[in-house]
Amino acid sequence: MRQIVLDTETTGLEWKKGNRVVEIGCVELIERRPTGRTYHQYINPQREFEQGAAEVTGLSLEFLSDKPVFAAIADEFLAFIDGAELVIHNAAFDVGFLDYELSLLGEAYGRLGDRVTVEDSLLLARQRFPGQRNSLDALCKRLGVDNTHRQLHGALLDAQLLCDVYLNLTAGQREIGFGGAEEATSGAAAAVVRHFDPAVAGARPRVTVSADELAAHEARLATLRKKAGGRCLWDPPALEAG
């Protein structure tokens, strides 16, 4: 599965007031692993920042004056994200701005939803940590992601931090690969997964686990318990006092 962790910076909070995108940052994941491919672009918004917006990013119209306009980078950007699942924190904000930018280019460009699917990491965080602060900074602190170098908002930096946050937030939610007739993995924990047909194979094989594997499993559960606040999904249910 190909995913793109994406962040944007803008001239203000609402595209309906004519605010524009000034920076896009993207990090590519394949099967939940960073590939090293990124996309980063500053954009000339051709309008002033709203009060306070420039201070958040440290950008200025003077700095952006020699950067390309969105129309000049749209095809390259769309080619980078095409067909992927976008992971965005507070997706409605970024998608709204990018759809607005595309609308200014004409109907032929359509909307983001015509090209990609979207996973909102803010909604995931609210499900995992209901009633708590779930800003990017708060999640970095809660999930142990180092963001001490984040002094200002920056699209690529924030996408890189969100990438780490998302992978921690969704740890243990990968699908088991039962889709193919046979699938092998490499390395010390190599295994072969096959469709099981009792009529053909007879009794199920019994799999034994070594002491080292049990210790590694327990260490992983301990990490998940710490992140989840005391318990994780794989723990047995607590017994009620009689």
Side-chain angles (χ1 to χ4, degrees):
M1 181 180 188
R2 181 171 181 262
Q3 296 173 297
I4 301 293
V5 184
L6 179 147
D7 186 72
T8 64
E9 301 299 337
T10 63
T11 61
L13 295 178
E14 295 186 41
W15 61 265
K16 292 179 181 179
K17 293 183 178 180
N19 283 299
R20 306 290 299 272
V21 174
V22 297
E23 187 183 7
I24 300 174
C26 300
V27 176
E28 182 183 61
L29 300 174
I30 299 291
E31 301 300 336
R32 294 176 54 84
R33 296 180 181 273
T35 66
R37 290 188 68 214
T38 61
Y39 177 85
H40 181 233
Q41 182 64 61
Y42 290 113
I43 300 165
N44 183 351
Q46 298 181 300
R47 61 153 287 159
E48 289 287 348
F49 284 82
E50 286 189 349
Q51 185 176 2
E55 285 77 6
V56 172
T57 62
L59 299 176
S60 66
L61 192 57
E62 179 181 4
F63 171 78
L64 298 169
S65 62
D66 63 346
K67 304 302 185 288
V69 297
F70 186 86
I73 61 92
D75 290 337
E76 180 184 33
F77 165 62
L78 292 174
F80 187 85
I81 67 171
D82 193 44
E85 177 184 72
L86 301 186
V87 178
I88 309 174
H89 206 63
N90 191 17
F93 178 89
D94 302 79
V95 171
F97 267 93
L98 291 169
D99 276 345
Y100 174 61
E101 293 287 354
L102 293 174
S103 73
L104 298 178
L105 304 182
E107 294 183 2
Y109 280 86
R111 301 168 64 87
L112 278 188
D114 301 329
R115 303 168 181 271
V116 299
T117 58
V118 177
E119 176 84 278
D120 191 338
S121 55
L122 178 58
L123 297 182
L124 292 176
R126 286 173 175 170
Q127 292 169 4
R128 173 86 177 271
F129 306 113
Q132 300 185 52
R133 293 183 63 249
N134 288 302
S135 66
L136 183 57
D137 282 335
L139 289 171
C140 284
K141 182 177 181 179
R142 192 174 302 139
L143 297 172
V145 175
D146 182 10
N147 68 337
T148 54
H149 53 303
R150 187 192 191 222
Q151 303 302 319
L152 296 168
H153 289 218
L156 184 57
L157 172 60
D158 287 2
Q160 290 167 334
L161 290 173
L162 179 57
C163 181
D164 289 341
V165 164
Y166 172 74
L167 292 176
N168 278 276
L169 190 63
T170 57
Q173 295 185 14
R174 297 174 64 180
E175 294 183 359
I176 300 175
F178 291 139
E182 183 172 302
E183 180 179 340
T185 59
S186 60
V192 176
V193 179
R194 297 183 177 90
H195 287 297
F196 182 76
D197 185 348
V200 175
R204 287 181 181 271
R206 182 176 182 181
V207 178
T208 58
V209 181
S210 70
D212 288 345
E213 289 171 327
L214 284 173
H217 175 67
E218 182 55 37
R220 178 59 177 163
L221 291 184
T223 300
L224 292 176
R225 290 186 194 105
K226 183 177 179 181
K227 293 178 179 178
R231 289 182 55 80
C232 67
L233 181 63
W234 293 269
D235 285 331
L239 296 177
E240 295 183 2

